Amino acid sequence: MSMTGAMSAAISGMKTHMQALNVVGNNIANVNTYGYKAQRVTFKESIYNTLSAGSGATTTMGGTNPQQIGYGCSVGTIDLDMSTGDLSPTGLATDCAINGDGFFLVGPNGQNIDSMDDVKSLSLTRVGNFEFRNGYLVDKTSGNLVYGFLTSSLDNPTAGGAAGTAVGNASTALAPIRLPMKSTAADTMGDAVYVGVDADTGKNVDPTTDVDGFIDYENLSIDANGKITCTNKDTGDPVVVGYLALGTVDNPNGLLHTDGPYYTAGDAAGDITLSAPNSAVTGYLNNGKIENAAGDTDPATMLSAKSGTGIMTSYLEGSGTDLATEFSNMIVYQRGYQANTRIISVTDSMLEELVNIKR
């Protein structure tokens, strides 16, 4: 290994420390970003040049150990710290923070949820800055629809698809959360009309007759179970809109950060399970109509019992950046970078001396 090998190792060290400093800069830049999860860098050794592979002992001589010289370092991992951050009060009734594990599920309207792959196509977020727009619950960041479990005019059908009775329970069909419709039938005074559940498909079905848009509401609130309630302005009656859904993955560090506060559950994240906060809604997801790869109803799609994971309303989760840690890391990486530049300077001086031998 020539002297230029030392220079190459130092260059790799400079690049790696610069990448680590980029991570620190991003963490500090997001010190006030709601729901931000701080990143951590680990280094790994680069490839080695083997000068001698070593040998085993004989009856007359002892063995020799391998002789290797490394070629610097590189980034080993960039990990996410998915622990729950501090909760910041906002005073807004539709702001929600998850007090425990899990993510809110958001996505476009009309997304078919027929398989667990469809569930994993939704985006995950820890930032619950929600509001109702045009009758639908959306996140303010990008206007994505928030998914959950609507209150239905029918009880949950069984896994086999049998219809229930009209009792107004929460459906287990994962769907965008929206307000009930306003009834235009005679003498109804705008009574809320809840969705039905199709016994064959297990999906929510909107009413098609005697309705005209969404109810006018006031006094909207969300409780620790993710239950969304309001008051019907026309009748003064309490209305249960539905429940927020939470998604949990096997490996949160395996989530792919896409844009802003959003993540996608790729292969590295493992399986995703769904629940309502504090297990407020139970039963089979989409009323037992979720199918596995073989086309059979998947018994694993029953809503998970995630007791202890609740919602804090009028709060948002703060940034996970710890400034003291980041400033300490910044000093360490700066000195590491500086030390690697010294190796280049010393190697340059040695090469200069080598050239000067001819003079």
Side-chain angles (χ1 to χ4, degrees):
M1 184 176 182
S2 65
M3 283 187 292
T4 57
M7 188 174 290
S8 297
I11 291 172
S12 73
M14 290 173 61
K15 289 181 178 179
T16 304
H17 280 83
M18 192 67 248
Q19 289 172 321
L21 197 59
N22 288 338
V23 171
V24 169
N26 188 53
N27 287 341
I28 293 177
N30 286 281
V31 66
N32 291 313
T33 301
Y34 286 124
Y36 177 75
K37 299 302 179 184
Q39 295 176 297
R40 182 199 66 174
V41 177
T42 63
F43 292 6
K44 70 176 181 180
E45 302 164 87
S46 270
I47 60 174
Y48 279 83
N49 177 33
T50 301
L51 304 180
S52 172
S55 62
T58 67
T59 57
T60 58
M61 297 183 63
T64 60
N65 294 326
Q67 297 178 17
Q68 295 177 293
I69 298 177
Y71 280 92
C73 67
S74 61
V75 172
T77 62
I78 301 178
D79 304 315
L80 286 171
D81 181 0
M82 299 301 293
S83 58
T84 303
D86 294 333
L87 303 184
S88 303
T90 64
L92 299 179
T94 53
D95 281 347
C96 299
I98 301 172
N99 190 19
D101 297 331
F103 299 84
F104 298 112
L105 296 101
V106 299
N109 194 9
Q111 174 72 48
N112 289 323
I113 306 296
D114 296 320
S115 67
M116 291 308 296
D117 286 339
D118 294 333
V119 175
K120 296 184 77 170
S121 71
L122 298 175
S123 294
L124 306 176
T125 180
R126 294 279 297 186
V127 182
N129 55 339
F130 303 144
E131 68 178 2
F132 274 96
R133 294 180 190 167
N134 300 320
Y136 283 87
L137 187 67
V138 302
D139 75 327
K140 298 177 185 176
T141 303
S142 300
N144 290 307
L145 301 186
V146 182
Y147 276 67
F149 310 106
L150 293 174
T151 301
S152 171
S153 58
L154 294 178
D155 192 6
N156 296 332
T158 65
T165 56
V167 296
N169 285 348
S171 166
T172 57
L174 187 67
I177 294 177
R178 66 153 180 78
L179 295 168
M181 309 295 284
K182 181 186 293 187
S183 174
T184 59
D187 301 322
T188 60
M189 295 179 60
D191 285 342
V193 178
Y194 293 101
V195 299
V197 176
D198 188 285
D200 293 324
T201 65
K203 295 182 179 179
N204 292 327
V205 180
D206 288 336
T208 56
T209 59
D210 296 328
V211 292
D212 181 20
F214 302 108
I215 64 167
D216 297 317
Y217 69 92
E218 58 187 358
N219 303 324
L220 185 74
S221 65
I222 303 174
D223 68 11
N225 295 327
K227 180 181 178 181
I228 305 170
T229 58
C230 63
T231 302
N232 187 335
K233 274 188 178 181
D234 292 328
T235 65
D237 294 331
V239 172
V240 179
V241 177
Y243 292 78
L244 295 170
L246 297 179
T248 306
V249 295
D250 295 338
N251 176 26
N253 285 326
L255 292 172
L256 180 63
H257 204 163
T258 53
D259 181 40
Y262 304 113
Y263 302 86
T264 57
D267 293 339
D271 292 332
I272 185 170
T273 57
L274 297 180
S275 65
N278 292 321
S279 303
V281 179
T282 60
Y284 282 92
L285 179 63
N286 280 27
N287 301 312
K289 296 300 179 181
I290 290 281
E291 295 181 349
N292 57 23
D296 301 320
T297 298
D298 190 352
T301 57
M302 193 169 196
L303 292 175
S304 176
K306 292 285 184 181
S307 59
T309 299
I311 298 294
M312 293 284 290
T313 54
S314 300
Y315 285 83
L316 289 176
E317 183 177 355
S319 171
T321 298
D322 183 335
L323 281 178
T325 299
E326 299 306 326
F327 282 135
S328 298
N329 288 339
M330 182 168 58
I331 294 171
V332 171
Y333 298 147
Q334 179 190 12
R335 293 306 182 191
Y337 186 93
Q338 185 180 39
N340 279 279
T341 64
R342 295 294 182 267
I343 294 294
I344 293 177
S345 298
V346 171
T347 305
D348 177 58
S349 297
M350 294 173 68
L351 289 172
E352 183 180 11
E353 292 296 328
L354 181 62
V355 171
N356 289 337
I357 290 175
K358 183 173 174 61
R359 295 180 183 177

